[in-house]
Amino acid sequence: MDEASVRAQLERHWEYAGTDQDIAHEIYHDDAVLEFPQSGERFEGVENFREWRRQYPAVLAFRIRRIRGTGDLWVAENSISYDGGPWQFTVSILEFRGDKVAHESIYITAGWEPPEWRARWRSEPAPDAIAHGRLSGA
């Protein structure tokens, strides 16, 4: 697949990830693997992780921050909100086999205010960090 097609497929995935699990899971091979390294969880087979996502006990919202990659390896930086709560940062590392995802690793973390002692070396906060409520912009 060309890069524009992969990008469109990933954008469609996160557009529907919180609302329509059938559409959101079109990107995966039937034997895909999904891992959450922070919790040590591993799910094998799209049917398994599609079904637990159907039962997820919170309403999810996603904002795409950046998608980049080439060939079989892509990285998606997003923000996620649970039940309308604060936005958290998430990174998905996606490995493609042909035109579908064969393996995905997802990392999720809360943002934090940058320490003042580093202020003289940094540039201004990224606009999306401020827009997603993670930093005050000061």
Side-chain angles (χ1 to χ4, degrees), residues 43-131:
F43 300 91
E44 296 179 358
V46 69
E47 185 174 320
N48 286 324
F49 48 90
R50 180 184 54 233
E51 294 312 312
W52 71 253
R53 284 175 166 164
R54 284 188 205 284
Q55 305 303 316
Y56 204 84
V59 174
L60 304 178
F62 294 89
R63 290 182 182 162
I64 297 171
R65 297 178 58 231
R66 183 186 329 180
I67 296 174
R68 57 190 159 155
T70 187
D72 294 339
L73 185 61
W74 286 76
V75 176
E77 299 174 48
N78 295 311
S79 293
I80 186 171
S81 173
Y82 299 89
D83 287 330
W87 290 96
Q88 296 181 56
F89 294 95
T90 177
V91 174
S92 290
I93 301 168
L94 302 118
E95 300 172 48
F96 279 76
R97 183 175 71 235
D99 63 348
K100 293 192 177 213
V101 174
H103 187 273
E104 180 178 13
S105 296
I106 300 174
Y107 297 84
I108 302 171
T109 187
W112 61 84
E113 291 292 329
E116 195 54 43
W117 67 267
R118 295 193 306 218
R120 71 180 217 183
W121 295 287
R122 68 177 174 249
S123 55
E124 291 298 313
D128 61 337
I130 295 169

Side-chain angles (χ1 to χ4, degrees), residues 8-27:
Q9 188 177 15
L10 294 175
E11 288 172 354
R12 177 177 164 87
H13 168 73
W14 277 289
E15 178 182 348
Y16 288 97
T19 58
D20 188 322
Q21 297 310 317
D22 290 324
I23 293 173
H25 287 77
E26 292 171 347
I27 68 167

Side-chain angles (χ1 to χ4, degrees), residues 30-47:
D30 288 341
D31 64 347
V33 173
L34 174 65
E35 293 183 305
F36 291 90
Q38 290 166 295
S39 67
E41 293 172 288
R42 176 183 172 97
F43 300 91
E44 296 179 358
V46 69
E47 185 174 320

